[in-house]
Amino acid sequence: MSGLSAEPTPELLGRWEREQARLRARVVEEDTEGWQKDPGFAGLERVGGVDLSYVKGEESRACASLVVLSFPALQVLYEDCRMVAVGAPYLAGFLAFREVPFLVEALQRLQQEQPNLKPQVLLVDGNGLLHPRGFGVACHLGVLTDLPCIGVAKNLLHVDGLAKDELHKEQIRSLQREGDSFPLTGTSGRVLGMALRSHHRSFRPLYVSVGHRVCLGTAVRLVQSCCRYRIPEPIRQADMRSREYIRKQLCSPLGVLSARPERKKEEELDD
C-alpha cells in the first residue's frame, strides 16, 4: 500500500464498532497470573513495550517496534523494528484497526524466532478501558494476543465526563510524591483508570488503564515499577528504537516523528 485508504464508510464504521463490541466481551479485568498477586512481582521476568513511529510528512509509512525488557533490571533483551505501510486512515476511537495488526505480527515473529523471550505483560502507548466504547488499543492488542496488557497514555481522554477542568488540575497538584495517584471516575460513576505521578521530576501524570488480564491496581504498580523517567521504560525504548530505525532507513536525522501524526487530536479523542 502506497497511501492511506479512503475515509471509512458508515458501513465500515458499523463493522468496526461491532468488532469492538464482540472483542470487548472477551476482556478480563482481573489479575490472571501468579506474579501479579505478589507485592514484588516475583516471577515476572519479561516486560514488553510496543510503539509505531511515523515518517515525517508520510502518514502511511511507519516503523512498528516491539521490545522485551528484563524485569526488574529493565535491560533490553529483544528488539524488532520493521517499516510498515499503514493503509487504514486515522479515526478517533478506532486507532487499533490502523496499528494493532502490525504489533500482532511483531509478536508472532517473536513467538516463532525466540519463544523463550515472549513477554509476560505488554505496556501499550494508548488507552485500554478508558475509551468511548471501553475498548482502546491496549484492550484490542491484549485480546488478540491473549497477553496481559496495560494502557499508558500521556494525555487525558475526554470521555464519560472526564476533562482537564479545574478539579482535575487540582487533583494533579495533589500528586506530591512519585507513585501518588488518583482514580479517573466518569460521570457514570465507573473508575476508568488512574492518573499516576510516575517520576519525581515530572509533574505531568500518566493515565493508566486496564487492557486485558490485569486489574487496575496491579497495572498502576507495574507501570510505576517500570519508570526510570516519566514514560515507562518498555514504551520509552520501543519509541526511541523505532525513531532511530527510521533515521537509519532515511539517512536523515529529521525524517521522523516521535509520535503518531494525529496525537494532537488524541488529547481529546484518543484511541
Side-chain angles (χ1 to χ4, degrees):
M1 290 175 285
S2 59
L4 296 180
S5 61
E7 285 297 312
T9 63
E11 291 77 15
L12 178 60
L13 292 181
R15 189 157 63 247
W16 280 356
E17 287 188 2
R18 290 191 296 274
E19 179 72 357
Q20 285 181 329
R22 183 181 70 84
L23 295 175
R24 173 66 181 86
R26 292 166 52 185
V27 171
V28 176
E29 303 177 35
E30 301 173 353
D31 292 337
T32 61
E33 307 300 302
W35 60 263
Q36 295 169 327
K37 300 173 176 65
D38 186 273
F41 296 123
L44 177 60
E45 299 177 349
R46 298 173 306 282
V47 180
V50 293
D51 182 72
L52 257 76
S53 291
Y54 289 79
V55 175
K56 187 174 182 179
E58 298 186 43
E59 294 184 11
S60 64
R61 294 180 66 200
C63 175
S65 174
L66 163 68
V67 297
V68 181
L69 276 60
S70 63
F71 187 88
L74 300 177
Q75 299 298 312
V76 176
L77 304 174
Y78 175 89
E79 171 185 349
D80 180 310
C81 292
R82 300 286 178 98
M83 296 301 298
V84 297
V86 180
Y90 171 76
L91 189 68
F94 299 98
L95 179 64
F97 293 97
R98 177 172 165 87
E99 299 190 348
V100 162
F102 304 114
L103 304 178
V104 171
E105 289 175 1
L107 287 158
Q108 290 172 340
R109 285 193 296 271
L110 169 59
Q111 181 64 33
Q112 293 169 359
E113 297 168 5
Q114 297 192 57
N116 59 309
L117 294 180
K118 179 180 178 180
Q120 295 163 274
V121 60
L122 282 173
L123 271 57
V124 181
D125 180 9
N127 289 301
L129 297 180
L130 182 56
H131 179 270
R133 287 170 296 282
F135 195 74
V137 64
C139 295
H140 207 128
L141 183 60
V143 169
L144 291 185
T145 61
D146 199 31
L147 285 171
C149 247
I150 298 170
V152 184
K154 296 183 284 292
N155 297 296
L156 177 66
L157 173 60
H158 292 191
V159 63
D160 194 14
L162 295 176
K164 290 182 179 178
D165 54 17
E166 285 306 313
L167 173 60
H168 185 75
K169 293 175 183 177
E170 180 59 34
Q171 290 175 312
I172 290 176
R173 288 191 287 269
S174 75
L175 303 178
Q176 295 295 310
R177 296 178 301 277
E178 178 178 309
D180 284 354
S181 63
F182 63 83
L184 300 168
T185 306
T187 54
S188 65
R190 184 174 184 189
V191 176
L192 303 176
M194 296 284 283
L196 167 69
R197 183 170 179 177
S198 59
H199 195 270
H200 69 277
R201 292 184 180 177
S202 177
F203 295 98
R204 294 178 297 161
L206 295 175
Y207 297 98
V208 181
S209 57
V210 168
H212 184 51
R213 292 179 57 188
V214 63
C215 75
L216 184 56
T218 298
V220 171
R221 287 196 301 119
L222 181 58
V223 169
Q224 179 64 56
S225 297
C226 290
C227 286
R228 290 175 173 169
Y229 305 94
R230 179 190 177 220
I231 306 302
E233 200 65 11
I235 293 175
R236 179 173 170 270
Q237 288 294 331
D239 172 67
M240 290 193 305
R241 289 163 189 265
S242 61
R243 290 186 287 118
E244 178 63 22
Y245 189 84
I246 292 178
R247 276 194 288 267
K248 290 180 178 178
Q249 291 291 308
L250 301 183
C251 299
S252 168
L254 300 178
V256 60
L257 292 176
S258 62
R260 302 180 182 99
E262 308 83 4
R263 274 303 182 195
K264 288 184 181 179
K265 300 178 186 177
E266 290 178 5
E267 290 192 23
E268 295 190 5
L269 296 170
D270 209 29
D271 53 18

